[in-house]
Amino acid sequence: MERCTSPQHHIVCVVAARPNFMKMAPILAALRLVTPPLKLTLVHTGQHYDAAMNSEFFDALGMPAPDVNLGVGSGTHAQQTADVMKRFEPILEQHPPSAVLVVGDVNSTLACALVAAKKGIAVIHVEAGLRSFDRSMPEEINRLLTDQLSELLFTSEPGAGQNLLREGYPPSRLHFVGNVMIDSLQRQLPNAMAVTQLIANAGRPDFLQAGRGYAVLTLHRPSNVDDGQRLRTLIETVVTLSAQVPVMFPIHPRTQAKLQQFGLSGLLDTGLILALPPLNYLQMLGLMKDARLVLTDSGGIQEETTALGVPCLTLRHNTERPITVTQGSNTVAGHEPAQILSLCEDILLSGGKVGQIPRLWDGHAATRIAVAIGAWLALRPAPSVRL
């Protein structure tokens, strides 16, 4: 005869890629303090499968190993989304949770939200409402659809809430909590690796010259790295920049493959660009915090540089994080070499934008999320677990 344990709310939390890890670590810590206690299951879809972008991030953030790793790996957007859905569904069937919590805008975010919604399980979306208004970006599609499927929508900046209200979402589903990624940044900043240690580990202790400082480059978005001509133009632009300031370039596995595919790896052999393997969180944090400027196509790095007060140039024509431009240290630079180099020169001469830290980017976003989830769960019956 089956018997039931005492009802307890159960939340399945999903991570898939680097920015997810920094957002989820403080959320998990805050959810562990909710009363009555919650059952928490951490699922890693395996969308990022490079060791330096997975296990080392978990270790650096003090986050427990995932309870489940779906091991999805790479593939086209359709393949990856489908694989996540097929492997995630049995997890929900085994022990149906009260809710599935997803963060950000990667393929796994949408895939897990879709599976949960179709099974009648509530979806919680952290970092809801961000919009680039560019539907050629796969992430924009993921954001729009994940928000549509979600019952609780946690926003990181006021503009995100305005987007959701304009799209017709009821205010009762929206919670402005601030930027949970900054929780991790503030907590881990004292532990960031010194740049001198990083270049020593790379075998180039003499790379940086006194007084010159350095720039940081990151590239990974398909719109920048899958187009051979655009990737060549961006790399040649950075080669030109490196004559003014040396450039540190941690290379994403996707970008590394594209550099080799298009025969562009040799462009980096100038002596003024230090190509690095993928870095863990504390290494990347140390690299960014002392940089004279950062060039990137990453949304998360736009936020991190704003929190650090480091000038950032976004190598895109738009951003889904406009507050990093209006209040922070970010500038949307586009792809034209002359424009990028002109902005770089201004930063090197004047020091560039420092900006200010946006409201509620104060290191307590995860606590606000946990409080809101606890209050929401208190109004819902907890599922009984049959043994």
Side-chain angles (χ1 to χ4, degrees), residues 70-88:
L70 302 183
V72 169
S74 64
T76 67
H77 287 283
Q79 290 168 341
Q80 199 171 64
T81 303
D83 285 346
V84 171
M85 292 179 70
K86 288 190 293 186
R87 299 184 193 195
F88 186 59

Side-chain angles (χ1 to χ4, degrees), residues 13-78:
C13 302
V14 178
V15 294
R18 173 190 180 271
N20 298 169
F21 306 156
M22 283 93 81
K23 295 164 192 169
M24 192 62 75
I27 292 172
L28 286 171
L31 287 175
R32 290 191 195 99
L33 301 178
V34 170
T35 304
L38 306 174
K39 177 184 177 182
L40 301 172
T41 298
L42 179 61
V43 175
H44 183 7
T45 68
Q47 183 172 323
H48 272 182
Y49 49 92
D50 183 274
M53 302 186 80
N54 272 338
S55 61
E56 291 186 24
F57 270 92
F58 280 84
D59 294 342
L61 291 164
M63 190 158 63
D67 299 291
V68 179
N69 192 322
L70 302 183
V72 169
S74 64
T76 67
H77 287 283

Side-chain angles (χ1 to χ4, degrees), residues 1 31 52 76 92 105 142 173 189 281 328 353 359 375:
M1 181 177 177
L31 287 175
T76 67
L92 300 187
D105 54 20
N142 293 342
R173 288 165 60 187
L189 193 57
Y281 183 54
K353 290 171 66 176
R359 180 174 165 239

